[in-house]
């Protein structure tokens, strides 16, 4: 009798273990939308940590994605963004190089090119002595070389000592943008999640730059309400107003929507081509801008650099990139980098101020 009872207990225990094992298997493989460590779950978690600026935890998630799914391009990009947030640019470049070697992904290649871009520095050289001339005469001035600049059908006007392109005229006011890049500045003084509303560049333009105009010119500058919609290529589930609040600006930068409206719209902003990170269309040439020239200090490269007058250069837009730590920009070749550059880590960017001006 005791033997029979013992056998029944063993059978019951084995059956219970089998049931528990079956339930666990079902929960892991079919109970719920995705396994706890699926690449998509880890990507979502990594993106959330990036938005919270918790770069260490974000890095853990993206590296796990790469381990599980070595061909997942977003895993490499997320890991690079995490390394950059931690101030480790070398590791960011290394993980992108590994990702491109494995996947050949074009987005990885382009971001890698952005990180490894080195600005051209003017090298001082010994002056070459001019040959002695028998007759002293005034040398004829050499004609200035033609340089590309913002093109299209915009008329040019002068205001406050600068040349401006007229983009729009409404109710006795003109929307104008500087014909050339007036200076190089960072979008913000540190790498944090930020929008145009709280950026250092906005504070500078509406403070020091605005006050550089004389009283009569300042009286003609109209305070405008600017909308800052979400980046149409990158939906953000964590913030309802990912692009930032509406702002009251005297001086501002163009948005993504405005740059395609006034320099040519191929429809790519509204209809993203594949998984590209650029607007690359027939209007690139309209958006190319050249610099007035100057010498600046780069925190990123920890050195001064000189931009020659007339050199084509990239310039900031006010719109948020693919997250709140990036801002969109127009590249040297006129392509629009919708993914955006890091606001406080990348090199300084060109500034093309825009404003609404009362017409005489």
């Amino acid at each position: 009798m005791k033997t029979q009872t013992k056998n029944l207990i063993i059978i019951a225990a084995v059956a219970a273990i089998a049931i528990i094992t079956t339930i666990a298997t079902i929960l892991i493989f079919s109970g719920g939308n995705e396994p706890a460590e699926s690449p998509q779950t880890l990507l979502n978690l990594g993106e959330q940590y990036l938005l919270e600026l918790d770069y260490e935890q974000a890095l853990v998630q993206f590296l796990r994605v790469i381990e599980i799914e070595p061909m997942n391009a977003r895993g490499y990009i997320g890991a690079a963004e995490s390394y950059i947030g931690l101030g480790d640019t070398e590791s960011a470049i290394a993980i992108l190089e590994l990702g491109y070697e494995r996947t050949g992904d074009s987005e990885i290649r382009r971001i890698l090119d952005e990180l490894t871009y080195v600005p051209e520095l003017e090298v001082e050289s010994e002056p070459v002595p001019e040959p002695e001339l028998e007759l002293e005469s005034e040398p004829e001035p050499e004609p200035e070389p033609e340089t590309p600049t913002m093109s299209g059908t915009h008329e040019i006007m002068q205001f406050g000592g600068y040349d401006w392109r007229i983009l729009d005229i409404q109710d006795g006011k003109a929307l104008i943008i500087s014909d050339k890049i007036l200076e190089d500045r960072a979008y913000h003084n540190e790498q944090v999640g930020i929008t145009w509303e709280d950026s250092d560049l906005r504070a500078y333009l509406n403070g020091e730059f605005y006050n550089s105009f004389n009283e009569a010119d300042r009286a003609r500058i109209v305070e405008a309400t600017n909308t800052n919609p979400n980046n149409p290529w990158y939906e953000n589930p964590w913030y309802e107003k990912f692009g930032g609040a509406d702002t009251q600006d005297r001086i501002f930068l163009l948005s993504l929507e405005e740059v395609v409206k006034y320099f040519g719209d191929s429809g790519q902003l509204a209809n993203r081509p594949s998984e590209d990170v650029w607007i690359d269309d027939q209007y690139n040439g309209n958006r190319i801008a050249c610099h007035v020239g100057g010498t600046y200090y780069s925190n990123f490269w920890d050195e001064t650099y000189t931009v020659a007058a007339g050199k084509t250069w990239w310039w900031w837009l006010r719109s948020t990139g693919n997250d709140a730590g990036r801002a969109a920009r127009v590249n040297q070749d006129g392509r629009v980098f919708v993914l955006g550059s890091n606001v406080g880590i990348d090199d300084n960017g060109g500034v093309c101020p825009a404003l609404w001006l009362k017409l005489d």
Side-chain angles (χ1 to χ4, degrees):
M1 183 66 178
K2 290 182 179 180
T3 302
Q4 185 178 3
T5 301
K6 184 177 180 180
N7 289 338
L8 289 173
I9 292 173
I10 293 172
I11 292 170
V14 171
I17 293 171
I19 291 170
I20 292 170
T21 302
T22 301
I23 292 173
T25 302
I26 292 172
L27 288 174
I28 292 174
F29 293 100
S30 61
N33 293 331
E34 294 175 337
E37 278 211 338
S38 74
Q40 189 57 53
T41 299
L42 292 168
L43 284 173
N44 292 340
L45 190 56
E47 296 286 357
Q48 183 174 358
Y49 281 128
L50 278 181
L51 291 171
E52 295 171 355
L53 306 184
D54 189 344
Y55 298 115
E56 291 183 356
Q57 284 300 320
L59 181 60
V60 170
Q61 313 310 316
F62 290 121
L63 291 179
R64 183 68 179 135
V65 171
I66 295 170
E67 181 181 351
I68 296 172
E69 198 171 82
M71 296 298 290
N72 191 311
R74 182 55 197 151
Y76 297 97
I77 294 171
E81 291 175 345
S82 303
Y83 278 127
I84 290 172
L86 293 169
D88 189 354
T89 306
E90 290 185 3
S91 294
I93 292 172
I95 199 71
L96 288 171
E97 288 176 341
L98 176 63
Y100 184 69
E101 180 182 342
R102 288 178 173 177
T103 69
D105 183 79
S106 60
E107 185 171 349
I108 293 178
R109 177 72 264 169
R110 284 171 176 142
I111 297 173
L112 185 59
D113 289 343
E114 291 295 324
L115 281 178
T116 54
Y117 168 73
V118 178
E120 294 181 11
L121 303 177
E122 287 193 354
V123 179
E124 295 184 1
S125 58
E126 292 295 327
V128 179
E130 296 182 0
E132 295 184 3
L133 301 177
E134 294 183 0
L135 298 177
E136 294 184 2
S137 60
E138 291 292 328
E140 295 184 3
E142 296 183 2
E144 295 185 2
E146 294 184 2
T147 56
T149 183
M150 295 180 185
S151 59
T153 59
H154 306 130
E155 294 183 10
I156 299 292
M157 66 173 293
Q158 289 190 334
F159 172 71
Y162 303 106
D163 288 337
W164 303 79
R165 289 190 171 266
I166 302 174
L167 302 182
D168 198 358
I169 296 178
Q170 297 180 18
D171 302 324
K173 303 185 299 292
L175 173 61
I176 59 177
I177 184 173
S178 62
D179 181 46
K180 292 182 172 63
I181 295 168
L182 300 186
E183 58 183 309
D184 263 25
R185 296 188 79 90
Y187 192 91
H188 196 60
N189 65 1
E190 58 180 331
Q191 182 59 30
V192 294
I194 200 164
T195 61
W196 167 247
E197 179 185 14
D198 298 314
S199 68
D200 289 332
L201 188 49
R202 176 175 179 253
Y204 164 74
L205 289 175
N206 286 276
E208 183 180 339
F209 183 78
Y210 169 74
N211 289 321
S212 69
F213 293 96
N214 63 38
E215 184 176 357
D217 287 341
R218 290 199 301 270
R220 296 181 61 193
I221 298 174
V222 180
E223 187 174 66
T225 299
N226 284 318
T227 58
N228 298 292
N230 297 343
N231 188 312
W233 282 14
Y234 299 98
E235 294 296 329
N236 191 299
W238 311 112
Y239 297 108
E240 183 179 352
K241 278 296 290 180
F242 180 47
D246 294 349
T247 52
Q248 299 292 319
D249 300 312
R250 293 185 176 91
I251 316 286
F252 51 92
L253 305 178
L254 295 185
S255 66
L256 282 166
E257 290 76 15
E258 290 163 347
V259 81
V260 300
K261 176 180 179 180
Y262 294 116
F263 290 95
D265 186 2
S266 62
Q268 290 188 21
L269 183 63
N271 301 283
R272 182 182 183 184
S274 185
E275 293 299 314
D276 210 345
V277 297
W278 303 88
I279 293 176
D280 186 359
D281 58 21
Q282 67 269 36
Y283 301 110
N284 289 348
N286 291 357
R287 298 183 290 258
I288 293 174
C290 61
H291 211 292
V292 297
T295 299
Y296 307 93
Y297 177 76
S298 168
N299 288 317
F300 183 74
W301 299 104
D302 191 25
E303 62 186 2
T304 58
Y305 63 98
T306 298
V307 184
K311 182 176 178 59
T312 57
W313 205 249
W314 68 270
W315 48 288
W316 288 112
L317 301 176
R318 72 173 187 268
S319 300
T320 304
N322 74 328
D323 62 40
R326 291 177 178 271
R329 60 181 252 191
V330 177
N331 207 42
Q332 298 98 309
D333 56 9
R335 293 179 299 164
V336 180
F337 192 32
V338 183
L339 178 78
S341 295
N342 291 307
V343 296
I345 292 179
D346 283 357
D347 257 342
N348 299 337
V351 180
C352 289
L355 58 92
W356 282 95
L357 184 72
K358 293 178 185 177
L359 297 176
D360 294 332

